[in-house]
Amino acid sequence: MTTTTHREAPEQAPDRDLAQLGLAAVAVLVGAYTVYDATTLTVGFADPVGPRIFPYVIGAGLVLLGVLLAVAALRGDRPQAEEGEDVDLTAPADWLTVARLVGVIGVTILTVDLLGWAISGALLFIGSTWTLGSRTLVRDVIVGIVLAVASWYAFYSGLGIPLSPGVLDGVL
């Protein structure tokens, strides 16, 4: 009768997604800076809450979520992919599309003072939809104009924040 001893495989450490630690660190740093920056805001005597409450809440939330993400990443937890996700993760990045979107945003930044938000915002929408594959130009132009003008009025009238009217000064 021979006895064989079975060696058990040593337990392996959980497969950790350490890239999440970078995201957690950024969240903690941004949250901590937001809380610090909120302490530098001046509070008027007639406003008991002041402008600090929102940065405090947002900063504290970012710090908390960053810490929780770091703990989850170190424990080996991995996010689950959506079941309906149809993105091929093995496909290379489409850098041409990224470059076009950066170009559209750059044109918007360069033209917003001259043309104004209503026109530049519409061009931003139209250029972005075209870059991402839309081929319904008439619909994109109409939607872009409506969104840009509506957001201009929402900022100007609703929030009291004047956006550049550009060449439409006196018309809007």
Side-chain angles (χ1 to χ4, degrees), residues 41-83:
L41 295 174
T42 57
V43 178
F45 67 90
D47 191 1
V49 176
R52 293 187 206 168
I53 189 69
F54 291 111
Y56 280 147
V57 170
I58 291 170
L62 275 172
V63 169
L64 176 66
L65 290 175
V67 169
L68 291 175
L69 179 60
V71 169
L74 291 173
R75 284 183 29 196
D77 292 346
R78 288 181 161 273
Q80 257 184 339
E82 284 187 38
E83 291 180 18

mmCIF file of all heavy atoms in Angstrom, residues 41-83:
data_model
loop_
_atom_site.group_PDB
_atom_site.id
_atom_site.type_symbol
_atom_site.label_atom_id
_atom_site.label_comp_id
_atom_site.label_asym_id
_atom_site.label_seq_id
_atom_site.Cartn_x
_atom_site.Cartn_y
_atom_site.Cartn_z
ATOM 1 N N LEU A 41 -13.724 80.526 0.800
ATOM 2 C CA LEU A 41 -14.836 81.341 0.325
ATOM 3 C C LEU A 41 -15.290 82.293 1.428
ATOM 4 O O LEU A 41 -15.338 81.924 2.601
ATOM 5 C CB LEU A 41 -16.009 80.456 -0.106
ATOM 6 C CG LEU A 41 -15.765 79.561 -1.307
ATOM 7 C CD1 LEU A 41 -16.956 78.628 -1.519
ATOM 8 C CD2 LEU A 41 -15.536 80.386 -2.550
ATOM 9 N N THR A 42 -15.654 83.496 1.040
ATOM 10 C CA THR A 42 -16.159 84.459 2.022
ATOM 11 C C THR A 42 -17.668 84.310 2.143
ATOM 12 O O THR A 42 -18.373 84.082 1.164
ATOM 13 C CB THR A 42 -15.821 85.898 1.606
ATOM 14 O OG1 THR A 42 -16.363 86.130 0.303
ATOM 15 C CG2 THR A 42 -14.324 86.122 1.585
ATOM 16 N N VAL A 43 -18.131 84.445 3.359
ATOM 17 C CA VAL A 43 -19.548 84.289 3.647
ATOM 18 C C VAL A 43 -20.106 85.650 4.023
ATOM 19 O O VAL A 43 -19.542 86.350 4.871
ATOM 20 C CB VAL A 43 -19.761 83.286 4.804
ATOM 21 C CG1 VAL A 43 -21.233 83.155 5.137
ATOM 22 C CG2 VAL A 43 -19.174 81.942 4.443
ATOM 23 N N GLY A 44 -21.210 86.012 3.385
ATOM 24 C CA GLY A 44 -21.869 87.268 3.728
ATOM 25 C C GLY A 44 -22.593 87.147 5.059
ATOM 26 O O GLY A 44 -22.984 86.054 5.487
ATOM 27 N N PHE A 45 -22.801 88.274 5.739
ATOM 28 C CA PHE A 45 -23.424 88.236 7.062
ATOM 29 C C PHE A 45 -24.907 87.888 6.994
ATOM 30 O O PHE A 45 -25.477 87.410 7.957
ATOM 31 C CB PHE A 45 -23.231 89.579 7.778
ATOM 32 C CG PHE A 45 -23.974 90.718 7.127
ATOM 33 C CD1 PHE A 45 -25.271 91.020 7.513
ATOM 34 C CD2 PHE A 45 -23.384 91.475 6.127
ATOM 35 C CE1 PHE A 45 -25.951 92.062 6.909
ATOM 36 C CE2 PHE A 45 -24.062 92.511 5.531
ATOM 37 C CZ PHE A 45 -25.349 92.814 5.912
ATOM 38 N N ALA A 46 -25.555 88.119 5.868
ATOM 39 C CA ALA A 46 -26.986 87.872 5.763
ATOM 40 C C ALA A 46 -27.304 86.461 5.281
ATOM 41 O O ALA A 46 -28.458 86.096 5.205
ATOM 42 C CB ALA A 46 -27.613 88.891 4.819
ATOM 43 N N ASP A 47 -26.296 85.695 4.951
ATOM 44 C CA ASP A 47 -26.510 84.355 4.418
ATOM 45 C C ASP A 47 -26.019 83.328 5.432
ATOM 46 O O ASP A 47 -24.809 83.101 5.537
ATOM 47 C CB ASP A 47 -25.769 84.210 3.086
ATOM 48 C CG ASP A 47 -26.151 82.949 2.339
ATOM 49 O OD1 ASP A 47 -27.003 82.188 2.843
ATOM 50 O OD2 ASP A 47 -25.612 82.730 1.248
ATOM 51 N N PRO A 48 -26.923 82.702 6.202
ATOM 52 C CA PRO A 48 -26.466 81.783 7.250
ATOM 53 C C PRO A 48 -25.787 80.525 6.715
ATOM 54 O O PRO A 48 -24.894 79.991 7.338
ATOM 55 C CB PRO A 48 -27.746 81.430 8.002
ATOM 56 C CG PRO A 48 -28.847 81.683 7.038
ATOM 57 C CD PRO A 48 -28.375 82.792 6.144
ATOM 58 N N VAL A 49 -26.203 80.059 5.539
ATOM 59 C CA VAL A 49 -25.608 78.846 4.976
ATOM 60 C C VAL A 49 -24.339 79.206 4.216
ATOM 61 O O VAL A 49 -23.308 78.570 4.358
ATOM 62 C CB VAL A 49 -26.613 78.118 4.067
ATOM 63 C CG1 VAL A 49 -25.961 76.921 3.412
ATOM 64 C CG2 VAL A 49 -27.828 77.696 4.860
ATOM 65 N N GLY A 50 -24.401 80.227 3.394
ATOM 66 C CA GLY A 50 -23.237 80.652 2.634
ATOM 67 C C GLY A 50 -22.982 79.765 1.439
ATOM 68 O O GLY A 50 -23.654 78.755 1.224
ATOM 69 N N PRO A 51 -21.973 80.121 0.679
ATOM 70 C CA PRO A 51 -21.669 79.364 -0.539
ATOM 71 C C PRO A 51 -20.826 78.124 -0.281
ATOM 72 O O PRO A 51 -20.490 77.412 -1.212
ATOM 73 C CB PRO A 51 -20.884 80.382 -1.374
ATOM 74 C CG PRO A 51 -20.214 81.239 -0.361
ATOM 75 C CD PRO A 51 -21.186 81.336 0.792
ATOM 76 N N ARG A 52 -20.484 77.838 0.968
ATOM 77 C CA ARG A 52 -19.570 76.720 1.240
ATOM 78 C C ARG A 52 -20.242 75.365 1.294
ATOM 79 O O ARG A 52 -19.571 74.350 1.116
ATOM 80 C CB ARG A 52 -18.881 76.945 2.586
ATOM 81 C CG ARG A 52 -17.951 78.093 2.598
ATOM 82 C CD ARG A 52 -17.214 78.105 3.899
ATOM 83 N NE ARG A 52 -16.803 79.467 4.199
ATOM 84 C CZ ARG A 52 -16.340 79.837 5.342
ATOM 85 N NH1 ARG A 52 -16.234 78.981 6.321
ATOM 86 N NH2 ARG A 52 -15.976 81.076 5.534
ATOM 87 N N ILE A 53 -21.515 75.295 1.553
ATOM 88 C CA ILE A 53 -22.158 74.013 1.824
ATOM 89 C C ILE A 53 -22.025 73.035 0.657
ATOM 90 O O ILE A 53 -21.713 71.863 0.860
ATOM 91 C CB ILE A 53 -23.639 74.197 2.236
ATOM 92 C CG1 ILE A 53 -24.238 72.883 2.719
ATOM 93 C CG2 ILE A 53 -24.458 74.742 1.103
ATOM 94 C CD1 ILE A 53 -23.688 72.403 4.014
ATOM 95 N N PHE A 54 -22.222 73.502 -0.562
ATOM 96 C CA PHE A 54 -22.151 72.575 -1.701
ATOM 97 C C PHE A 54 -20.729 72.060 -1.934
ATOM 98 O O PHE A 54 -20.549 70.852 -2.128
ATOM 99 C CB PHE A 54 -22.735 73.226 -2.953
ATOM 100 C CG PHE A 54 -24.224 73.410 -2.861
ATOM 101 C CD1 PHE A 54 -24.766 74.673 -2.755
ATOM 102 C CD2 PHE A 54 -25.075 72.316 -2.855
ATOM 103 C CE1 PHE A 54 -26.142 74.844 -2.647
ATOM 104 C CE2 PHE A 54 -26.450 72.470 -2.746
ATOM 105 C CZ PHE A 54 -26.982 73.746 -2.640
ATOM 106 N N PRO A 55 -19.698 72.914 -1.917
ATOM 107 C CA PRO A 55 -18.349 72.347 -2.069
ATOM 108 C C PRO A 55 -17.970 71.394 -0.940
ATOM 109 O O PRO A 55 -17.278 70.402 -1.176
ATOM 110 C CB PRO A 55 -17.437 73.575 -2.073
ATOM 111 C CG PRO A 55 -18.307 74.722 -2.400
ATOM 112 C CD PRO A 55 -19.684 74.369 -1.959
ATOM 113 N N TYR A 56 -18.432 71.679 0.286
ATOM 114 C CA TYR A 56 -18.148 70.755 1.390
ATOM 115 C C TYR A 56 -18.786 69.388 1.133
ATOM 116 O O TYR A 56 -18.144 68.352 1.305
ATOM 117 C CB TYR A 56 -18.674 71.301 2.715
ATOM 118 C CG TYR A 56 -17.799 72.340 3.366
ATOM 119 C CD1 TYR A 56 -18.359 73.375 4.108
ATOM 120 C CD2 TYR A 56 -16.413 72.294 3.264
ATOM 121 C CE1 TYR A 56 -17.569 74.339 4.719
ATOM 122 C CE2 TYR A 56 -15.619 73.252 3.865
ATOM 123 C CZ TYR A 56 -16.202 74.258 4.587
ATOM 124 O OH TYR A 56 -15.419 75.208 5.190
ATOM 125 N N VAL A 57 -20.041 69.385 0.735
ATOM 126 C CA VAL A 57 -20.747 68.122 0.502
ATOM 127 C C VAL A 57 -20.127 67.367 -0.673
ATOM 128 O O VAL A 57 -19.863 66.161 -0.583
ATOM 129 C CB VAL A 57 -22.252 68.391 0.257
ATOM 130 C CG1 VAL A 57 -22.966 67.137 -0.233
ATOM 131 C CG2 VAL A 57 -22.902 68.919 1.525
ATOM 132 N N ILE A 58 -19.865 68.077 -1.760
ATOM 133 C CA ILE A 58 -19.290 67.422 -2.940
ATOM 134 C C ILE A 58 -17.881 66.925 -2.655
ATOM 135 O O ILE A 58 -17.511 65.802 -3.009
ATOM 136 C CB ILE A 58 -19.322 68.383 -4.147
ATOM 137 C CG1 ILE A 58 -20.765 68.601 -4.569
ATOM 138 C CG2 ILE A 58 -18.492 67.846 -5.298
ATOM 139 C CD1 ILE A 58 -20.964 69.702 -5.574
ATOM 140 N N GLY A 59 -17.059 67.746 -1.998
ATOM 141 C CA GLY A 59 -15.695 67.334 -1.666
ATOM 142 C C GLY A 59 -15.662 66.139 -0.738
ATOM 143 O O GLY A 59 -14.906 65.185 -0.940
ATOM 144 N N ALA A 60 -16.501 66.183 0.306
ATOM 145 C CA ALA A 60 -16.551 65.051 1.244
ATOM 146 C C ALA A 60 -17.040 63.791 0.543
ATOM 147 O O ALA A 60 -16.526 62.684 0.790
ATOM 148 C CB ALA A 60 -17.452 65.390 2.427
ATOM 149 N N GLY A 61 -18.025 63.947 -0.351
ATOM 150 C CA GLY A 61 -18.512 62.787 -1.109
ATOM 151 C C GLY A 61 -17.430 62.195 -1.995
ATOM 152 O O GLY A 61 -17.290 60.974 -2.083
ATOM 153 N N LEU A 62 -16.637 63.052 -2.639
ATOM 154 C CA LEU A 62 -15.544 62.553 -3.486
ATOM 155 C C LEU A 62 -14.491 61.823 -2.660
ATOM 156 O O LEU A 62 -13.987 60.768 -3.063
ATOM 157 C CB LEU A 62 -14.902 63.710 -4.249
ATOM 158 C CG LEU A 62 -15.570 64.109 -5.549
ATOM 159 C CD1 LEU A 62 -14.952 65.394 -6.085
ATOM 160 C CD2 LEU A 62 -15.446 63.014 -6.576
ATOM 161 N N VAL A 63 -14.141 62.386 -1.503
ATOM 162 C CA VAL A 63 -13.157 61.717 -0.641
ATOM 163 C C VAL A 63 -13.687 60.361 -0.196
ATOM 164 O O VAL A 63 -12.978 59.347 -0.267
ATOM 165 C CB VAL A 63 -12.805 62.607 0.573
ATOM 166 C CG1 VAL A 63 -12.000 61.831 1.597
ATOM 167 C CG2 VAL A 63 -12.038 63.851 0.122
ATOM 168 N N LEU A 64 -14.943 60.319 0.257
ATOM 169 C CA LEU A 64 -15.531 59.059 0.708
ATOM 170 C C LEU A 64 -15.568 58.029 -0.424
ATOM 171 O O LEU A 64 -15.167 56.871 -0.234
ATOM 172 C CB LEU A 64 -16.943 59.303 1.245
ATOM 173 C CG LEU A 64 -17.709 58.046 1.668
ATOM 174 C CD1 LEU A 64 -17.037 57.405 2.878
ATOM 175 C CD2 LEU A 64 -19.158 58.381 1.963
ATOM 176 N N LEU A 65 -16.022 58.425 -1.601
ATOM 177 C CA LEU A 65 -16.081 57.486 -2.719
ATOM 178 C C LEU A 65 -14.694 57.037 -3.159
ATOM 179 O O LEU A 65 -14.505 55.876 -3.535
ATOM 180 C CB LEU A 65 -16.839 58.115 -3.886
ATOM 181 C CG LEU A 65 -18.340 58.293 -3.661
ATOM 182 C CD1 LEU A 65 -18.968 59.042 -4.836
ATOM 183 C CD2 LEU A 65 -19.024 56.959 -3.447
ATOM 184 N N GLY A 66 -13.706 57.934 -3.105
ATOM 185 C CA GLY A 66 -12.337 57.553 -3.442
ATOM 186 C C GLY A 66 -11.788 56.511 -2.481
ATOM 187 O O GLY A 66 -11.146 55.544 -2.887
ATOM 188 N N VAL A 67 -12.037 56.712 -1.189
ATOM 189 C CA VAL A 67 -11.579 55.747 -0.179
ATOM 190 C C VAL A 67 -12.278 54.405 -0.374
ATOM 191 O O VAL A 67 -11.642 53.337 -0.329
ATOM 192 C CB VAL A 67 -11.802 56.300 1.242
ATOM 193 C CG1 VAL A 67 -11.603 55.228 2.296
ATOM 194 C CG2 VAL A 67 -10.882 57.490 1.499
ATOM 195 N N LEU A 68 -13.596 54.429 -0.595
ATOM 196 C CA LEU A 68 -14.329 53.180 -0.819
ATOM 197 C C LEU A 68 -13.850 52.459 -2.078
ATOM 198 O O LEU A 68 -13.741 51.227 -2.084
ATOM 199 C CB LEU A 68 -15.830 53.460 -0.905
ATOM 200 C CG LEU A 68 -16.508 53.888 0.393
ATOM 201 C CD1 LEU A 68 -17.970 54.263 0.136
ATOM 202 C CD2 LEU A 68 -16.400 52.808 1.452
ATOM 203 N N LEU A 69 -13.550 53.206 -3.128
ATOM 204 C CA LEU A 69 -13.032 52.588 -4.350
ATOM 205 C C LEU A 69 -11.670 51.965 -4.108
ATOM 206 O O LEU A 69 -11.379 50.868 -4.593
ATOM 207 C CB LEU A 69 -12.958 53.614 -5.477
ATOM 208 C CG LEU A 69 -12.407 53.107 -6.811
ATOM 209 C CD1 LEU A 69 -13.261 51.981 -7.363
ATOM 210 C CD2 LEU A 69 -12.317 54.245 -7.816
ATOM 211 N N ALA A 70 -10.808 52.643 -3.346
ATOM 212 C CA ALA A 70 -9.486 52.090 -3.044
ATOM 213 C C ALA A 70 -9.611 50.793 -2.240
ATOM 214 O O ALA A 70 -8.918 49.807 -2.525
ATOM 215 C CB ALA A 70 -8.650 53.119 -2.280
ATOM 216 N N VAL A 71 -10.497 50.788 -1.249
ATOM 217 C CA VAL A 71 -10.698 49.578 -0.446
ATOM 218 C C VAL A 71 -11.212 48.439 -1.324
ATOM 219 O O VAL A 71 -10.723 47.306 -1.247
ATOM 220 C CB VAL A 71 -11.673 49.860 0.726
ATOM 221 C CG1 VAL A 71 -12.120 48.581 1.405
ATOM 222 C CG2 VAL A 71 -11.021 50.797 1.733
ATOM 223 N N ALA A 72 -12.173 48.736 -2.182
ATOM 224 C CA ALA A 72 -12.716 47.701 -3.070
ATOM 225 C C ALA A 72 -11.656 47.180 -4.028
ATOM 226 O O ALA A 72 -11.570 45.970 -4.275
ATOM 227 C CB ALA A 72 -13.906 48.262 -3.849
ATOM 228 N N ALA A 73 -10.814 48.076 -4.554
ATOM 229 C CA ALA A 73 -9.767 47.642 -5.488
ATOM 230 C C ALA A 73 -8.737 46.777 -4.778
ATOM 231 O O ALA A 73 -8.275 45.777 -5.331
ATOM 232 C CB ALA A 73 -9.096 48.855 -6.122
ATOM 233 N N LEU A 74 -8.377 47.121 -3.557
ATOM 234 C CA LEU A 74 -7.398 46.329 -2.816
ATOM 235 C C LEU A 74 -7.965 44.973 -2.381
ATOM 236 O O LEU A 74 -7.205 44.015 -2.216
ATOM 237 C CB LEU A 74 -6.904 47.114 -1.603
ATOM 238 C CG LEU A 74 -6.039 48.335 -1.948
ATOM 239 C CD1 LEU A 74 -5.737 49.142 -0.697
ATOM 240 C CD2 LEU A 74 -4.765 47.915 -2.650
ATOM 241 N N ARG A 75 -9.274 44.910 -2.200
ATOM 242 C CA ARG A 75 -9.905 43.623 -1.853
ATOM 243 C C ARG A 75 -10.017 42.706 -3.053
ATOM 244 O O ARG A 75 -10.305 41.525 -2.918
ATOM 245 C CB ARG A 75 -11.310 43.862 -1.299
ATOM 246 C CG ARG A 75 -11.315 44.370 0.102
ATOM 247 C CD ARG A 75 -12.706 44.527 0.654
ATOM 248 N NE ARG A 75 -13.660 43.599 0.064
ATOM 249 C CZ ARG A 75 -14.965 43.736 0.152
ATOM 250 N NH1 ARG A 75 -15.478 44.763 0.776
ATOM 251 N NH2 ARG A 75 -15.771 42.870 -0.393
ATOM 252 N N GLY A 76 -9.832 43.255 -4.253
ATOM 253 C CA GLY A 76 -9.924 42.428 -5.454
ATOM 254 C C GLY A 76 -11.271 42.524 -6.144
ATOM 255 O O GLY A 76 -11.525 41.783 -7.089
ATOM 256 N N ASP A 77 -12.135 43.406 -5.668
ATOM 257 C CA ASP A 77 -13.432 43.573 -6.316
ATOM 258 C C ASP A 77 -13.225 44.202 -7.691
ATOM 259 O O ASP A 77 -12.407 45.092 -7.863
ATOM 260 C CB ASP A 77 -14.351 44.478 -5.484
ATOM 261 C CG ASP A 77 -14.753 43.824 -4.178
ATOM 262 O OD1 ASP A 77 -14.557 42.610 -4.034
ATOM 263 O OD2 ASP A 77 -15.264 44.549 -3.295
ATOM 264 N N ARG A 78 -13.970 43.697 -8.642
ATOM 265 C CA ARG A 78 -13.910 44.240 -9.995
ATOM 266 C C ARG A 78 -15.312 44.633 -10.416
ATOM 267 O O ARG A 78 -16.269 43.941 -10.122
ATOM 268 C CB ARG A 78 -13.382 43.200 -10.981
ATOM 269 C CG ARG A 78 -11.926 42.920 -10.821
ATOM 270 C CD ARG A 78 -11.509 41.878 -11.868
ATOM 271 N NE ARG A 78 -10.084 41.896 -12.065
ATOM 272 C CZ ARG A 78 -9.454 42.686 -12.907
ATOM 273 N NH1 ARG A 78 -10.115 43.521 -13.639
ATOM 274 N NH2 ARG A 78 -8.153 42.635 -13.031
ATOM 275 N N PRO A 79 -15.422 45.748 -11.153
ATOM 276 C CA PRO A 79 -16.759 46.119 -11.631
ATOM 277 C C PRO A 79 -17.249 45.122 -12.660
ATOM 278 O O PRO A 79 -16.467 44.575 -13.429
ATOM 279 C CB PRO A 79 -16.550 47.501 -12.241
ATOM 280 C CG PRO A 79 -15.101 47.580 -12.534
ATOM 281 C CD PRO A 79 -14.402 46.692 -11.559
ATOM 282 N N GLN A 80 -18.542 44.857 -12.647
ATOM 283 C CA GLN A 80 -19.123 43.939 -13.605
ATOM 284 C C GLN A 80 -19.504 44.687 -14.861
ATOM 285 O O GLN A 80 -20.038 45.792 -14.801
ATOM 286 C CB GLN A 80 -20.384 43.309 -13.031
ATOM 287 C CG GLN A 80 -20.186 41.910 -12.559
ATOM 288 C CD GLN A 80 -21.504 41.319 -12.096
ATOM 289 O OE1 GLN A 80 -22.439 42.028 -11.784
ATOM 290 N NE2 GLN A 80 -21.552 40.008 -12.053
ATOM 291 N N ALA A 81 -19.224 44.081 -15.977
ATOM 292 C CA ALA A 81 -19.615 44.680 -17.252
ATOM 293 C C ALA A 81 -21.126 44.570 -17.400
ATOM 294 O O ALA A 81 -21.751 43.636 -16.887
ATOM 295 C CB ALA A 81 -18.926 43.967 -18.399
ATOM 296 N N GLU A 82 -21.702 45.526 -18.073
ATOM 297 C CA GLU A 82 -23.132 45.465 -18.330
ATOM 298 C C GLU A 82 -23.418 44.286 -19.244
ATOM 299 O O GLU A 82 -22.645 43.978 -20.148
ATOM 300 C CB GLU A 82 -23.608 46.746 -19.012
ATOM 301 C CG GLU A 82 -23.719 47.923 -18.092
ATOM 302 C CD GLU A 82 -24.357 49.107 -18.801
ATOM 303 O OE1 GLU A 82 -25.293 48.886 -19.599
ATOM 304 O OE2 GLU A 82 -23.913 50.212 -18.555
ATOM 305 N N GLU A 83 -24.540 43.648 -19.009
ATOM 306 C CA GLU A 83 -24.890 42.504 -19.842
ATOM 307 C C GLU A 83 -25.203 42.920 -21.264
ATOM 308 O O GLU A 83 -24.940 42.197 -22.205
ATOM 309 C CB GLU A 83 -26.073 41.766 -19.236
ATOM 310 C CG GLU A 83 -25.729 41.066 -17.943
ATOM 311 C CD GLU A 83 -26.923 40.329 -17.362
ATOM 312 O OE1 GLU A 83 -27.887 40.074 -18.105
ATOM 313 O OE2 GLU A 83 -26.871 40.009 -16.182
#
